Amino acid sequence: TMQIALIGCGAIGTALLELVKDDVGLQIAAVVVPAEGAEAARAVAQRLAPGAQVVQAVPADGIDLVVEAAGHAAIEQHVLPALRRGVPCIVASVGALSAAGLPEQLEAAAREGRTQVQLIAGAIGGIDALAAARIGGLSTVRYTGRKPPHAWKGTPAEQGRDLDALANETVIFEGTAREAAAQFPKNANVAATVSLAGLGLDRTTVRLIADPAVRENLHQVEAAGAFGSFELTMRNQPLAANPKTSALTVFSAVRALRGKVAPLVI
């Protein structure tokens, strides 16, 4: 049975525990949270992963795989050291890799530990096609993210406008994926994933839209190159516990986990 350390026990971490609690071959051995989140995490772990210890760092021994669902700080604090020790890691907070130098740090740590870090597709599909198209030559990639106005609260979208009063769709950002990630870090995951699979953060164009006519989180990718072209539209239901996150993000993490132990993987 694969012994897993889960970093983070927020909306994504909790939903992940719920989905894998009966999986044969997967054992959540540790839930890693900061001291101030330990009590809440213990209550969740008791219910969904009774065998797990709630700790503030990834245990030095007995862990076969680390799954990150906690954000930028967790990658630097927990994922990099685990990789250097040779423990493979799955990273869900791909948006954090918009920070200068972080993808290279992950790569260097994995090389040092002779292991691998896997970035999951999260809320978006078509990453396999995009990454394959890059091999043949990509010329343009554009990502458009459209969400209900309330999903943009707590971001620069609120500056100079009342999100609750929007009557029509409003473009709140247009620029490169790197700029998008800097201004909208909590909404950076899809743009960063598309960038890392395709043309990179500076050559991927991003448009973000607040639209009172939509209830779901809409993600659209348009790509063209030597392979031909494709357009992908995803209409994702938000995660009940966090409207900024698509439920598919959790399913993507579970799929990656199960893929480590399944006898047949696609």
Side-chain angles (χ1 to χ4, degrees):
T1 300
M2 186 171 269
Q3 303 295 305
I4 295 154
L6 169 67
I7 305 170
C9 199
I12 294 173
T14 302
L16 185 141
L17 288 173
E18 183 88 57
L19 285 165
V20 303
K21 68 178 190 291
D22 300 320
D23 278 34
V24 177
L26 297 176
Q27 171 82 41
I28 305 293
V31 177
V32 183
V33 289
E36 60 270 22
E39 205 176 318
R42 253 183 221 106
V44 173
Q46 235 160 12
R47 191 167 54 88
L48 299 174
Q53 48 176 323
V54 175
V55 288
Q56 284 164 53
V58 176
D61 296 306
I63 297 296
D64 304 314
L65 179 69
V66 170
V67 182
E68 174 279 323
H72 190 153
I75 294 177
E76 295 190 325
Q77 199 179 341
H78 302 298
V79 174
L80 290 171
L83 287 170
R84 290 187 195 109
R85 290 201 303 271
V87 182
C89 297
I90 291 171
V91 166
S93 304
V94 180
L97 273 65
S98 308
L102 195 51
E104 292 78 6
Q105 277 180 280
L106 276 171
E107 213 174 305
R111 191 174 278 125
E112 192 182 321
R114 295 187 177 175
T115 188
Q116 190 177 59
V117 56
Q118 180 184 355
L119 312 178
I120 60 169
I124 195 69
I127 290 302
D128 50 352
L130 193 59
R134 178 171 71 181
I135 294 166
L138 268 174
S139 47
T140 59
V141 179
R142 180 163 86 153
Y143 162 66
T144 304
R146 184 185 296 265
K147 295 184 184 184
H150 71 90
W152 297 109
K153 290 197 169 172
T155 76
E158 288 186 301
Q159 285 161 22
R161 63 171 71 86
D162 178 0
L163 289 173
D164 291 326
L166 288 186
N168 302 306
E169 64 166 67
T170 304
V171 176
I172 54 172
F173 173 86
E174 201 151 5
T176 69
R178 194 181 297 277
E179 292 162 346
Q183 290 182 42
F184 295 85
K186 290 219 160 59
N187 289 274
N189 272 355
V190 175
T193 306
V194 167
S195 301
L196 289 162
L199 286 175
L201 290 155
D202 298 309
R203 287 179 60 207
T204 302
T205 59
V206 172
R207 225 167 31 136
L208 301 177
I209 298 169
D211 188 346
V214 301
R215 284 220 167 89
E216 307 121 322
N217 297 341
L218 260 77
H219 302 290
Q220 186 178 30
V221 178
E222 299 156 276
F227 74 100
S229 64
F230 78 75
E231 286 160 36
L232 169 77
T233 303
M234 314 255 321
R235 292 178 179 83
N236 292 350
Q237 292 297 336
L239 195 58
N242 180 2
K244 285 186 170 65
T245 299
S246 294
L248 198 63
T249 302
V250 176
F251 307 147
S252 178
V254 171
R255 172 182 177 260
L257 262 182
R258 289 178 176 163
K260 297 290 183 192
V261 293
L264 177 72
V265 182
I266 187 165

